[in-house]
């Protein structure tokens, strides 16, 4: 007997058009698609639902108002850092979004124009995203923890007509004025927006530049509500920049039709969430988790979504998550393992949990980084509900591998996010690009076409898309993760195969940090790699070789490079530790042996690389690492 998961999975692989064509009927279309899947530009470009006309905002907001959910809360804004709880019903959300869309339109924003959103976790960020979707404008949300330089790179690439921001963000107790960051990003950027729309928060009043800057409340009070604009299913809904191997971020494009179909379906199939349920993704709208599961997924499904402006600990304590779950009757929650590690560290026996009624809480989903068994066990034991690891990426928009609770609940194997979700023809390729045997580690790749909701290309960069994802393994999408599939079909994701690291669930490029370090006048050579960290999973560690003749103290130079990374990339990089070494270990062809240094730092077994040019350097590296508290001296 096959279970519903197996039936769905097999159909999605053997008859993708039949499977997704049927799923798509659960959404509202102004005009039905001509074809479910257009593969006329294979082997690289596939498009879902060409010919179809839709509006994502209509499906996420208006549809629910017209179908009896107008009075239901769409958004609950819970902000322990400002002591605020605010509820917005679907009807109210529709009015706010329609007005903001009207305000955008009155300032010249039209279908296809870009709008950049640089906002803290407040409902206005969600309203701005939906207002773009309503007009068919393309939003690009940039995480608030990025520095002006990173913001400028994204402004140059997306060329937004309008930038939406707020006067400040709040990090636990620290108020961070956003406007000076935005102003300096615009100054650095070559592309200039026509306007900046600023939401003034009570803690900081931003200075507005006459003519360019607009006040959110003024614009809203004048605006005429704008209706939803039908767009092609294949038109872009948003661009989300993510880290790659270099300092230049990749603009992942998401279309309207496939994204809407896949996300709405995933809410039931993967998360087992029904319309009316309360869903909480404790992330940030600046990340893909925020796009997919704070905003679009839950709203498309008619759920109540929580916008949480706080941390797992410190706002005010390690019971914050339990307070939110009980107060708002959360049914399903999604966050990164690092958040649970932070809670476990402060409240190892989960004492604070006992103060709250968590009876509505049905399942916890974790993603963004590898779920360590200790955190999994702790969460399972303390909560007594299914704790589901699932694996996905900014590029994929939704889970590649999951325990699809709405289809069939599989027994959990520690260390595995379970099985490929329907739509994902996942394989492991060995060093010869042959299909690996069960249990054998190799490159995790997905046979094309990717399912709906995934990236059709990179923004204005088809070549970059092909080169980054499709060139290396012909006919497959390269995830850049390595892992294996066991005899029972369970997938294990082990490590990235490129220079991307995951710091507190945030994806960062070590290559990008190296570019910053190399710019320091005293640095001759450098390497940045991710080492294990008990709280954040990984943190970046820098190695620098100084130019000959540099007489300044190492401490002074390290202080400067730490500041440079914070100023140029942002606090979110968590780059705080670096060390000066005489040389870096390299292969004879000059490649820095990052993997070996990483193993030494993490105190793991390593083999002396056969191609190393000078084996003695590894002892020097180990000594340097021991001095800064890594690479246990005993080994
Ligand atoms: N705006 C400005 N600064 C920000 C920011 C934002 N939106 N988000 C983070 N930062 C800053 C932090 O204040 C911190 O600054 P500091 O070095 O001065 O302390 C720095 O960036 C690093 O942030 P973070 O890695 O988040 O560390 P943290 O110590 O503040 O918090 C956790 C650690 C584990 C509590 C936190 O990372 C967390 O809650 N993670 C939840 C998981 C999550 O949201 N994952 C996203 C993908 S699902
Ligand atoms: P991001 O694009 O920020 O979502 O980061 C995607 C990367 O995070 C993946 O390529 C993986 O390396 C890692 N990742 C995400 N989820 C998991 C998971 N459940 N297990 C292991 N690694 C994960």
């Amino acid at each position: 007997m096959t279970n519903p998961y197996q039936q769905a999975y097999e159909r999605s692989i053997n008859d993708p058009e039949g499977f997704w064509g049927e799923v798509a009927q659960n959404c509202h279309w102004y005009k039905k698609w001509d074809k479910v899947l257009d593969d006329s530009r294979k082997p690289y470009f596939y498009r879902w639902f060409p010919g179809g006309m839709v509006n994502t905002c209509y499906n996420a907001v208006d549809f629910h108002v017209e179908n009896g959910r107008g009075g239901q809360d769409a958004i609950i804004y819970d902000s322990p850092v400002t002591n605020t709880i605010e509820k917005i019903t679907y009807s109210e959300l529709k009015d706010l979004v329609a007005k903001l869309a009207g305000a955008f339109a009155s300032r010249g924003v039209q279908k296809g124009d870009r709008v950049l959103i640089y906002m803290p976790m407040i409902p206005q960020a969600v309203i701005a995203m939906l207002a773009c979707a309503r007009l068919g404008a393309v939003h690009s949300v940039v995480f608030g923890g990025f520095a002006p330089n990173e913001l400028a790179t994204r402004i140059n690439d997306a060329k937004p007509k309008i930038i939406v921001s707020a006067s400040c963000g709040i990090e636990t107790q620290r108020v961070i004025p956003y406007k000076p960051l935005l102003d300096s990003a615009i100054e650095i950027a070559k592309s200039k927006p026509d306007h900046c729309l600023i939401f003034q928060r009570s803690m900081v009043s931003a200075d507005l530049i006459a003519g360019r800057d607009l006040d959110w409340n003024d614009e809203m009070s004048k605006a005429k509500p704008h209706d939803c604009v039908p767009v092609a299913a294949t038109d872009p809904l948003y661009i989300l920049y993510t880290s790659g191997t270099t300092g230049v971020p990749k603009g992942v494009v998401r279309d309207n039709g496939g994204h809407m179909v896949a996300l709405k379906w995933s809410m039931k199939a993967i998360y087992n969430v029904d319309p009316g349920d309360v869903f909480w993704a404790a992330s940030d709208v600046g990340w893909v988790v925020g796009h997919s599961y704070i905003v679009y997924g839950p709203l498309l499904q008619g759920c109540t979504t929580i916008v949480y402006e706080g941390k797992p600990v410190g706002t005010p304590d390690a019971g914050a998550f339990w307070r939110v779950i009980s107060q708002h009757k959360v049914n399903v929650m999604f966050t990164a393992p690092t958040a649970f590690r932070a809670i476990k560290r402060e409240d190892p026996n989960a004492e604070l949990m006992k103060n709250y009624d968590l009876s509505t809480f049905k399942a916890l989903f974790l993603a963004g980084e590898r779920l360590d068994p200790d955190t999994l066990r702790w969460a399972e034991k303390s909560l007594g509900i299914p704790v589901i690891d699932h694996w996905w990426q900014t590029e994929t928009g939704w889970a590649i591998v999951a325990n699809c609770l709405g289809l069939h609940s599989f027994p959990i194997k520690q260390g595995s996010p379970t099985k490929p979700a329907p739509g994902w023809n996942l394989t492991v390729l060995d060093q010869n690009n042959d299909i690996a045997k069960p249990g054998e580690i190799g490159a995790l790749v997905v046979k094309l076409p990717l399912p709906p909701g995934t990236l059709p290309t990179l923004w204005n960069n088809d070549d970059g898309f092909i080169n980054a994802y499709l060139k290396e393994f012909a006919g497959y999408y390269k995830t850049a993760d390595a892992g294996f599939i066991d005899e029972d079909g369970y997938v294990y994701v082990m490590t990235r195969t490129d220079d991307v690291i995951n710091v507190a669930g945030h994806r960062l490029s070590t290559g990008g940090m190296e570019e910053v370090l190399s710019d320091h006048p005293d640095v001759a050579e450098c390497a940045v790699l991710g080492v294990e960290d008990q709280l954040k999973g990984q943190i970046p560690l820098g190695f620098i070789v100084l130019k000959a003749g540099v007489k300044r103290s190492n401490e002074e130079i390290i202080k400067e490079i730490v500041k440079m990374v914070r100023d140029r990339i942002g606090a979110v990089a968590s780059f705080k530790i670096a060390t000066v070494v005489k040389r870096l270990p390299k292969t004879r062809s000059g490649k820095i042996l990052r993997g070996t240094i990483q193993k030494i730092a993490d105190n793991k077994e390593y083999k002396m690389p056969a191609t190393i040019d000078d084996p003695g350097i590894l002892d020097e590296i180990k000594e340097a690492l021991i001095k800064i508290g890594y690479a246990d001296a005993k080994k």
Side-chain angles (χ1 to χ4, degrees):
M1 274 278 283
T2 57
N3 62 49
Y5 160 79
Q6 275 163 320
Q7 285 165 21
Y9 185 77
E10 274 154 33
R11 174 132 195 252
S12 74
I13 301 301
N14 300 330
D15 175 21
E17 296 200 57
F19 180 82
W20 292 111
E22 216 168 279
V23 170
Q25 286 169 20
N26 296 326
C27 297
H28 168 271
W29 297 80
Y30 297 109
K31 176 180 169 284
K32 206 182 156 185
W33 52 91
D34 299 332
K35 217 170 179 286
V36 175
L37 176 68
D38 171 13
D39 63 359
S40 57
R41 291 171 72 209
K42 67 182 178 189
Y44 297 136
F45 299 102
Y46 298 84
R47 299 313 309 255
W48 289 94
F49 308 108
M53 298 296 288
V54 292
N55 185 283
T56 300
C57 177
Y58 178 82
N59 275 273
V61 183
D62 302 49
F63 175 86
H64 302 305
V65 177
E66 289 167 20
N67 288 277
R69 290 195 182 277
Q72 180 195 313
D73 290 335
I75 295 175
I76 298 177
Y77 166 53
D78 185 310
S79 168
V81 294
T82 59
N83 230 337
T84 313
I85 290 177
E86 215 175 277
K87 298 183 177 183
I88 302 173
T89 64
Y90 270 99
S91 283
E92 289 163 343
L93 183 61
K94 183 185 157 193
D95 292 345
L96 290 164
V97 170
K99 267 198 178 171
L100 185 60
F104 282 160
S106 74
R107 297 289 173 179
V109 176
Q110 292 177 357
K111 182 166 135 180
D113 289 338
R114 273 80 57 213
V115 173
L116 191 140
I117 300 171
Y118 184 62
M119 294 281 259
M121 278 295 289
I122 53 177
Q124 286 72 18
V126 181
I127 293 166
M129 291 164 79
L130 291 166
C132 292
R134 194 171 190 87
L135 289 178
V138 182
H139 61 69
S140 182
V141 184
V142 178
F143 178 62
F146 281 121
N149 202 56
E150 289 288 315
L151 183 53
T153 315
R154 288 153 175 82
I155 295 173
N156 281 337
D157 198 62
K159 303 190 175 41
K161 213 166 210 176
I162 287 196
I163 299 183
V164 186
S165 191
S167 57
C168 67
I170 302 157
E171 278 292 295
T172 313
Q173 278 153 12
R174 194 158 43 102
V175 174
I176 303 174
Y178 271 29
K179 188 65 186 352
L181 303 174
L182 176 61
D183 286 343
S184 101
I186 294 173
E187 210 174 296
I188 303 168
K190 283 202 190 81
S191 167
K192 311 282 180 195
D194 295 348
H195 294 289
C196 295
L197 180 66
I198 308 296
F199 181 75
Q200 299 278 20
R201 305 186 75 186
S202 60
M203 314 85 206
V204 172
S205 172
D207 293 333
L208 303 188
I209 298 174
R212 187 195 76 182
D213 297 345
L214 311 167
D215 176 83
W216 175 289
N217 288 333
D218 286 353
E219 292 293 298
M220 286 292 267
S221 65
K222 295 189 289 216
K224 285 201 193 73
H226 202 294
D227 218 344
C228 295
V229 175
V231 299
T234 49
D235 279 343
L237 170 70
Y238 70 75
I239 309 165
L240 178 57
Y241 290 91
T242 191
S243 302
T245 19
T246 67
V248 184
K250 300 189 279 196
V252 166
V253 174
R254 199 82 62 208
D255 67 12
N256 274 276
H259 172 256
M260 173 183 82
V261 169
L263 281 198
K264 185 169 181 180
W265 168 86
S266 75
M267 291 304 293
K268 180 66 191 171
I270 298 181
Y271 300 98
N272 201 16
V273 163
D274 291 302
D277 281 351
V278 182
F279 189 85
W280 178 25
S283 178
D284 188 287
V285 284
W287 305 115
V288 69
V289 176
H291 282 64
S292 294
Y293 294 112
I294 294 174
V295 185
Y296 290 110
L299 295 179
L300 286 163
Q301 180 72 335
C303 296
T304 300
T305 186
I306 311 265
V307 172
Y308 177 67
E309 190 182 27
K311 299 261 175 182
V313 294
T315 56
D317 57 27
F321 277 13
W322 323 135
R323 197 265 307 155
V324 173
I325 292 169
S326 75
Q327 189 164 350
H328 306 306
K329 302 193 170 29
V330 171
N331 301 114
V332 172
M333 180 188 187
F334 178 168
T335 191
T338 189
F340 268 70
R341 286 197 296 272
I343 297 170
K344 178 172 64 139
R345 191 166 75 168
E346 290 210 357
D347 183 17
N349 298 319
E351 292 295 338
L352 293 169
M353 208 184 269
K354 295 179 188 143
N355 302 337
Y356 300 97
D357 172 8
L358 303 183
S359 55
T360 57
F361 195 22
K362 291 189 300 194
L364 169 68
F365 282 78
L366 298 170
E369 53 173 326
R370 200 173 145 70
L371 172 58
D372 55 288
D374 198 41
T375 304
L376 170 67
R377 278 193 298 267
W378 186 84
E380 277 178 336
K381 187 166 160 256
S382 342
L383 290 166
I385 56 169
V387 177
I388 309 295
D389 181 13
H390 59 327
W391 169 56
W392 52 298
Q393 312 179 308
T394 305
E395 289 85 345
T396 69
W398 58 283
I400 311 167
V401 171
N403 200 345
C404 295
L405 285 194
L407 294 171
H408 180 80
S409 172
F410 284 98
I412 286 162
K413 290 198 195 184
Q414 275 181 22
S416 168
T418 314
K419 304 205 179 202
W424 295 94
N425 196 348
L426 183 76
T427 306
V428 180
L429 294 182
D430 68 14
Q431 282 180 338
N432 304 318
N433 288 358
D434 292 326
I435 299 205
K437 294 187 205 66
E440 194 185 343
I441 293 190
L444 286 162
V445 296
V446 184
K447 197 158 192 309
L448 298 172
L450 295 180
T454 55
L455 81 170
T457 189
L458 293 176
W459 182 249
N460 279 341
N461 191 4
D462 284 350
D463 287 346
F465 172 62
I466 296 170
N467 289 331
Y469 305 107
L470 308 176
K471 258 263 163 79
E472 194 169 337
F473 307 104
Y476 295 95
Y477 164 81
K478 168 183 153 183
T479 65
D481 278 305
F484 64 92
I485 303 180
D486 76 7
E487 301 276 358
D488 301 323
Y490 280 63
V491 180
Y492 293 75
V493 183
M494 310 303 288
T495 181
R496 289 284 300 195
T497 57
D498 56 10
D499 296 333
V500 163
I501 59 171
N502 245 289
V503 181
H506 311 319
R507 175 163 155 185
L508 297 160
S509 159
T510 53
M513 293 185 222
E514 287 177 4
E515 284 171 26
V516 177
L517 264 48
S518 320
D519 276 352
H520 189 285
D522 295 337
V523 171
E525 236 189 338
C526 66
V528 175
L529 40 110
V531 294
E532 282 175 8
D533 182 75
Q534 288 229 316
L535 173 65
K536 297 194 178 186
Q538 279 188 306
I539 51 160
L541 195 65
F543 291 83
I544 50 172
V545 178
L546 299 180
K547 286 182 183 159
V550 171
K551 295 267 165 16
R552 303 172 57 220
S553 82
N554 291 352
E555 289 71 31
E556 207 178 329
I557 295 169
I558 288 172
K559 231 179 171 174
E560 285 166 8
I561 60 165
V562 166
K563 183 168 182 309
M564 277 171 77
V565 175
R566 196 177 171 95
D567 290 347
R568 300 241 307 248
I569 296 179
V572 68
S574 294
F575 181 85
K576 295 194 172 154
I577 309 169
T579 182
V580 175
V581 291
K582 287 202 202 77
R583 305 169 291 171
L584 289 168
K586 290 185 188 165
T587 62
R588 279 184 219 110
S589 60
K591 201 165 173 276
I592 298 171
L593 288 159
R594 290 185 175 75
T596 311
I597 309 178
Q598 190 173 9
K599 287 208 174 91
I600 300 175
D602 291 342
N603 200 20
K604 288 195 174 132
E605 295 294 331
Y606 66 92
K607 280 198 200 113
M608 179 66 71
T611 53
I612 191 164
D613 66 344
D614 176 0
I617 304 182
L618 291 185
D619 291 333
E620 287 175 26
I621 291 287
K622 187 165 180 176
E623 238 171 76
L625 281 164
I626 289 169
K627 273 196 201 138
I628 53 169
Y630 290 87
D632 184 359
K634 290 191 289 288
K635 268 205 158 183

